[in-house]
Amino acid sequence: MTTSKSLTLSILFGGVLTLSACSSEPVDGAALAAEKGCVACHGQDGKAIADIYPNLNGQWQRYLRLQLQAYKSQKRENAVMYGMAKDLTDEEIRILAAHYGK
Ligand code: HEC
């Protein structure tokens, strides 16, 4: 009973993974950071290009995700980052945070 249930689950999960791997949406964090323009200030790997921009590398994913959500909702106020975050989906925020954070 339990075994067949977890087998069914893993088949379902495997199917979901295969589907998302085939999707044309960019799920690669580096590609998404380039596409969204984050790299212009925070760099490819989160080492910012100038000292007026925060480094993102080495930061916790959870912290980065919460900051992006806060900019989006304007709980954290910053005109530049609001502009960058306002149209990001929850999934894009998760991917970007995973790319830059650890
Ligand atoms: C034009 C330059 C610029 C671009 C482009 C940009 N940022 Fe930022 N980012 C900033 C600045 C400036 C801050 C600091 C804002 C503040 O004082 O809250 C910041 C802050 C952040 C923070 C919070 C860091 C911390 O330590 O709290 C995160 C996370 C972040 N940016 C992610 C991103 C992501 C992801 C993108 C792409 C969608 C992006 N940024 C695009 C300039 C930029």
Side-chain angles (χ1 to χ4, degrees):
M1 174 66 183
T2 321
T3 317
S4 80
K5 198 174 173 186
S6 67
L7 185 65
T8 311
L9 274 179
S10 59
I11 289 169
L12 276 176
F13 191 55
V16 170
L17 285 180
T18 313
L19 271 180
S20 63
C22 293
S23 135
S24 60
E25 294 295 313
V27 287
D28 174 44
L32 191 61
E35 183 193 313
K36 296 293 177 183
C38 319
V39 299
C41 301
H42 297 291
Q44 305 265 8
D45 300 314
K47 184 173 176 1
I49 60 148
D51 64 6
I52 51 169
Y53 306 123
N55 292 322
L56 303 179
N57 54 0
Q59 190 51 273
W60 299 109
Q61 295 184 25
R62 179 172 189 274
Y63 173 84
L64 296 177
R65 185 164 45 77
L66 292 177
Q67 299 320 301
L68 288 167
Q69 297 286 7
Y71 286 126
K72 184 176 173 176
S73 68
Q74 290 184 283
K75 210 183 286 174
R76 180 168 172 178
E77 289 181 36
N78 181 266
V80 172
M81 279 309 302
Y82 171 66
M84 297 307 302
K86 69 178 171 44
D87 295 324
L88 296 177
T89 64
D90 288 350
E91 179 65 3
E92 287 170 335
I93 286 178
R94 191 190 60 72
I95 294 168
L96 289 167
H99 168 64
Y100 280 123
K102 65 179 179 184

